[in-house]
Amino acid sequence: MRIIVCVKQVPLNNDVRVDPETGVLLRSSASAKLNPYDLFALEAALRLKTPGDTVAALTMGPPAAREALLECVFMGADSGVLVTDRAFAGSDVLATGYALSQAIAPLAPGLILCGRQTTDGDTAQVGAELSEFLGIPCAANVSTILGREAGGIRVLCSLGDFEQELFLRFPCLIAVEKDIHTPRLPSFKRRRAITEPDIAVLTLADLADKDAAHYGLSGSPTQVERTFAPAREVKSVRFGEGDGAEGIFVMLTENKFI
Ligand SMILES: Cc1cc2nc3c(=O)[nH]c(=O)nc-3n(C[C@H](O)[C@H](O)[C@H](O)COP(=O)(O)OP(=O)(O)OC[C@H]3O[C@@H](n4cnc5c(N)ncnc54)[C@H](O)[C@@H]3O)c2cc1C
């Protein structure tokens, strides 16, 4: 079975500039790293792999996102797929999910893993949208993988106060919670041994739908109107000696601190 892990390269820190015209992140302005949540997805994939399976890391991003794929290969992925084209720039979550589905469908994976969310876009929507475009079942918030069974996978999803046990038939997509497993470190031995990492590159020309209007800014129904730091309102309340513990208790209760 082919297992695909969707990963994204994200800014290393918060020092990212935003294009004032389009509201789009200027990613070249910041150093980048592999989205930390995706490390958990990759670790889960590597543990699920049985003889005959392959694990490929796949990302849509600028050419520099190849670095993120290399890190995945050095952690244990068999290969990487970089989906990159100027036509994809400025994609919102819908356009991202669509482009990923176009890249993934011909690869016919049995299982797709996503991280819970990214540390930049932070929407946690891409996995669900990707599964919709592919027409396959999806489970989000997967906190435990109970095991692979004939024809599918059994998982526990963490839904706040309760957990849900689901069985998903292959092909399917799961988005895993952080801490599902402890991710391994990239292996120095693999880094030395793999001199020609298997990283494929897909552009718009390689996809079944080659209409650029379906990708990037033109394929994105969400447009950033404006970005700004929220106004901060600091309200301070002083309690005099006479208010005592009861007054403080009332204030904390009214403000829903307790
Ligand atoms: C109007 C608009 C314009 C935007 N313009 C740009 C832009 O110009 N450049 C830009 O980089 N971003 C842009 N974004 C942000 C971009 O849409 C999101 O970064 C992208 O859709 C992924 O969403 P997310 O980061 O919230 O991922 P989440 O939904 O939080 O991610 C969940 C999981 O999905 C997978 N995943 C997410 N993104 C990718 C990916 N690219 N490749 C593979 N797997 C992935 C990972 O497994 C991840 O853990 C824009 C967003 C909007 C709304």
Side-chain angles (χ1 to χ4, degrees):
M1 182 169 76
R2 177 173 280 157
I3 302 174
I4 288 187
V5 186
C6 292
V7 301
K8 185 182 178 193
Q9 201 181 42
V10 295
L12 190 58
N13 52 39
N14 289 335
D15 183 21
V16 184
R17 285 183 290 124
V18 176
D19 185 320
E21 296 273 305
T22 60
V24 160
L25 290 186
L26 296 170
R27 287 173 190 272
S28 55
S29 68
S31 322
K33 64 176 177 187
L34 184 55
N35 176 38
Y37 289 94
D38 299 342
L39 295 171
F40 301 98
L42 179 58
E43 182 61 40
L46 295 174
R47 291 187 190 211
L48 279 167
K49 182 180 171 184
T50 55
D53 290 344
T54 56
V55 173
L58 180 142
T59 192
M60 181 181 98
R66 186 173 188 273
E67 283 302 314
L69 297 176
L70 283 179
E71 190 175 337
C72 294
V73 168
F74 296 142
M75 275 177 71
D78 299 294
S79 61
V81 182
L82 174 63
V83 186
T84 188
D85 198 295
R86 290 195 78 82
F88 305 146
S91 297
D92 68 1
V93 282
L94 199 74
T96 300
Y98 184 63
L100 290 176
S101 73
Q102 282 285 309
I104 289 174
L107 304 175
L111 177 64
I112 303 171
L113 288 102
C114 286
R116 182 190 201 286
Q117 65 190 80
T118 62
T119 53
D120 59 349
D122 236 351
T123 65
Q125 292 174 3
V126 166
E129 295 192 359
L130 170 58
S131 70
E132 275 296 307
F133 282 122
L134 291 171
I136 60 172
C138 164
N141 306 102
V142 171
S143 52
T144 309
I145 293 173
L146 296 171
R148 264 171 86 162
E149 295 175 19
I153 187 166
R154 191 169 294 277
V155 297
L156 276 186
C157 302
S158 179
L159 303 176
D161 288 341
F162 61 97
E163 290 193 314
Q164 191 178 42
E165 182 176 329
L166 294 176
F167 175 74
L168 292 92
R169 264 180 231 295
F170 296 137
C172 61
L173 183 150
I174 59 174
V176 304
E177 288 289 320
K178 78 178 177 67
D179 301 336
I180 188 166
H181 300 296
T182 305
R184 67 196 67 187
L185 292 171
S187 149
F188 181 65
K189 252 170 101 176
R190 279 180 72 83
R191 200 182 283 266
R192 292 283 302 267
I194 303 175
T195 49
E196 288 185 24
D198 178 4
I199 309 283
V201 178
L202 297 179
T203 65
L204 181 64
D206 299 304
L207 307 186
D209 178 0
K210 300 183 196 333
D211 186 346
H214 296 158
Y215 305 92
L217 270 181
S218 46
S220 297
T222 319
Q223 300 293 323
V224 177
E225 288 272 313
R226 180 164 81 96
T227 50
F228 56 95
R232 282 197 166 185
E233 195 190 336
V234 182
K235 259 204 293 186
S236 57
V237 182
R238 279 187 82 100
F239 282 85
E241 278 181 11
D243 292 317
E246 197 180 327
I248 294 173
F249 180 75
V250 170
M251 181 277 289
L252 291 175
T253 315
E254 281 175 351
N255 285 286
K256 299 192 168 44
F257 290 131
I258 54 175

